[in-house]
Amino acid sequence: VAMMWSGPPRWRIDRITENAFHLFGLDVDLVKRGRIFLSHLIHPEDFPVVTDRLALLAESGVAERLRIEFRIRLINGGVRWVELEAMARSPKRRDGVKFQGVIRDVTDQRKNAEHLRLSEGRFRRLTESLSDVIWTADRDLKFTYMSPASVLISGLEPDAFIGKSVTMAMTDESKALANDIAGSLVPELLVGGEDIGTVTLQFEQKRLDGGTVPTEIKITPLFDDRGTFDGLLGVTRDISERKKAEREILALTEELEQRVNERTQTLAQTLEQLDASEQAVRRSEVLFRRVFESASHGMVLYDLTGRFMEVNQAFCDIVGYDPDSLIGMRIRDISHPDEYDFDAEHIADLFVG
C-alpha cells in the first residue's frame, strides 16, 4: 500500500492506494475527505514510537529513508504487523511537512521468524542438555555449529571448532579414514546423488590434555529446498565405556573358551577312561559268561528274594529241569522237604556274605 500523509500534530492521511481496503479494511473515501489519521491505523502502543521516528526524519533535513516495523489496527479489530518505508518530502520545513511511503504486510514473515527463533531456541536447549555432541557443517565440511558438550569429549570450547574442518580433532589415522570416506561420499552428494540417510562411523578423537577418546559419529546429509547438498548434521558420542565393556567381554569370552577347552580335554580323558573301563567290564562279562556256561558243575544266579535269575546247563542236568522252567523258581521249589531248613540257612549265609 502506498500513501502520503501530513506531519505533526495531526498526522492526517492525504492519499492512499485502493488496495488499502484489502490490507486495513479502510474506506478510501474517508481518506479523500480527510477523515483518517495515522492514529486510526497504528496500534496505540506503537504510535508514539513511529511518530517520533518520523519527526526525527523530518528534522534531520537529509533525504533519508526510514524503515520501521509496527502493528496496525484493522477495522474488524484485528492486528497485523507491517513494514513502513518512508521519506519526508519537505525535510527542511517542520510546518506542513509531508511524508510518503509504502507499507508492506510482514505478519507472516514475523510469525515464521518467531517460529524459527523458538525452534532454534528449543534446538539449542536440547543440545545443551545432552552429553552427546551435536554439530553441523557446511558443504565444504567446515563446522558451523558445535554444542557445549564438545568440552566433555575434546576439552575444547565450541567456538574453537567453528569454521574448522570436521576432521580437526581426529587422530592422524582417523583423519585419513575420514578423508577417504568424504572423498567418495561428498562428490556423489554434490552432483545430486540419492539421500544416503544416516551413516554411523567410529573415529579416534584427540583431547586437549594429549589423550585420545574413541567416538561414534552419526552423520546425516542436509539438503536445501531445491534438493542440493547443503552440509551435514552430526552427533558425536564418547564410546570409551562401550569399548572398555567390549574389551572386558572379549577377555571373559577368551577365558571362558580356555576353560571350555580345558573341560573338553578333561572330559575327553574321562571318556577315554570310561571307555577303557567299559571295555574291561565287557571283557570280564564275556569271560564270566564263558565260564558260567561251560562249567561242569552247577551254577546259578539269585536275585535278592532268592529266585533264580540265571542257571547254567550243568545245574539243569543235575536237577532235571530245563532253563526256562527254573527261572523265577526258588531253591526250595526243587528241594526235598527235609532239606528246607538247611537250604534256607545256606542261602541266608550267601546273602550275608
Side-chain angles (χ1 to χ4, degrees):
V1 174
M3 69 178 188
M4 297 178 60
W5 66 96
S6 302
R10 302 189 66 187
W11 301 101
R12 186 185 66 244
I13 298 176
D14 300 323
R15 294 181 184 178
I16 196 165
T17 53
E18 296 291 336
N19 57 346
F21 177 79
H22 299 289
L23 180 58
F24 308 130
L26 186 63
D27 189 344
V28 178
D29 289 336
L30 293 176
V31 174
K32 293 178 180 179
R33 296 200 299 267
R35 303 285 298 276
I36 302 296
F37 302 89
L38 290 185
S39 58
H40 291 137
L41 295 180
I42 301 177
H43 193 281
E45 295 178 1
D46 297 339
F47 182 76
V49 177
V50 175
T51 54
D52 285 349
R53 293 284 300 277
L54 290 171
L56 289 174
L57 176 66
E59 291 175 357
S60 67
V62 180
E64 295 181 347
R65 291 179 180 271
L66 169 67
R67 180 171 291 178
I68 184 173
E69 291 185 4
F70 54 87
R71 290 165 292 177
I72 62 171
R73 295 183 300 175
L74 307 181
I75 297 302
N76 62 7
V79 174
R80 303 287 292 181
W81 277 92
V82 297
E83 178 188 71
L84 170 65
E85 185 175 353
M87 62 181 299
R89 295 181 62 194
S90 304
K92 295 183 179 180
R93 296 175 50 195
R94 180 173 181 80
D95 296 330
V97 66
K98 299 289 185 179
F99 296 89
Q100 66 182 25
V102 177
I103 291 179
R104 183 169 59 94
D105 188 343
V106 294
T107 304
D108 292 339
Q109 291 91 320
R110 287 187 67 94
K111 286 182 179 179
N112 291 337
E114 179 65 12
H115 290 160
L116 178 61
R117 185 187 66 82
L118 294 175
S119 178
E120 289 179 344
R122 288 193 294 267
F123 174 76
R124 289 186 180 275
R125 287 193 296 272
L126 174 64
T127 59
E128 290 171 2
S129 66
L130 297 175
S131 58
D132 291 347
V133 180
I134 312 298
W135 53 268
T136 58
D138 59 22
R139 59 187 299 165
D140 295 323
L141 305 187
K142 301 293 178 66
F143 287 117
T144 56
Y145 171 77
M146 179 67 65
S147 69
S150 63
V151 176
L152 301 177
I153 290 182
S154 66
L156 294 172
E157 295 291 340
D159 290 344
F161 291 88
I162 305 304
K164 305 294 180 57
S165 169
V166 295
T167 63
M168 65 164 285
M170 294 182 184
T171 61
D172 292 341
E173 183 177 353
S174 290
K175 186 178 295 186
L177 175 60
N179 288 333
D180 287 343
I181 295 173
S184 60
L185 182 63
V186 173
E188 294 183 8
L189 296 172
L190 288 174
V191 297
E194 295 183 0
D195 186 355
I196 61 172
T198 299
V199 178
T200 301
L201 304 168
Q202 291 188 6
F203 298 109
E204 195 80 10
Q205 305 266 9
K206 294 184 292 186
R207 288 186 52 82
L208 187 61
D209 59 12
T212 61
V213 56
T215 61
E216 177 185 81
I217 303 180
K218 294 182 180 293
I219 301 173
T220 304
L222 301 177
F223 300 88
D224 61 20
D225 295 337
R226 296 172 298 178
T228 303
F229 174 63
D230 197 37
L232 298 174
L233 169 65
V235 180
T236 301
R237 173 174 295 177
D238 182 347
I239 56 173
S240 299
E241 291 301 319
R242 184 199 303 177
K243 289 294 186 181
K244 179 181 178 182
E246 289 176 355
R247 290 193 297 270
E248 292 176 351
I249 291 173
L250 179 60
L252 290 173
T253 301
E254 291 176 349
E255 181 182 353
L256 179 60
E257 290 178 350
Q258 178 63 29
R259 290 184 178 181
V260 169
N261 290 334
E262 292 175 355
R263 293 291 178 86
T264 301
Q265 293 176 0
T266 302
L267 179 60
Q269 294 173 357
T270 302
L271 290 175
E272 289 179 359
Q273 294 173 356
L274 288 175
D275 185 60
S277 298
E278 289 177 356
Q279 291 180 9
V281 169
R282 285 195 295 271
R283 287 194 298 269
S284 177
E285 289 180 347
V286 170
L287 180 61
F288 169 78
R289 180 63 55 189
R290 289 177 179 175
V291 172
F292 182 82
E293 292 176 352
S294 62
S296 59
H297 54 275
M299 298 181 67
V300 297
L301 293 178
Y302 295 98
D303 63 15
L304 295 178
T305 63
R307 296 181 182 275
F308 298 132
M309 295 173 58
E310 289 190 48
V311 296
N312 67 355
Q313 187 60 46
F315 184 77
C316 293
D317 294 340
I318 293 172
V319 297
Y321 287 85
D322 60 82
D324 293 337
S325 299
L326 290 171
I327 301 304
M329 296 176 65
R330 294 185 176 89
I331 189 65
R332 66 178 296 165
D333 295 331
I334 59 174
S335 298
H336 190 277
D338 294 340
E339 303 294 332
Y340 285 168
D341 292 338
F342 174 78
D343 291 340
E345 181 179 351
H346 181 65
I347 292 174
D349 291 341
L350 289 175
F351 282 132
V352 172

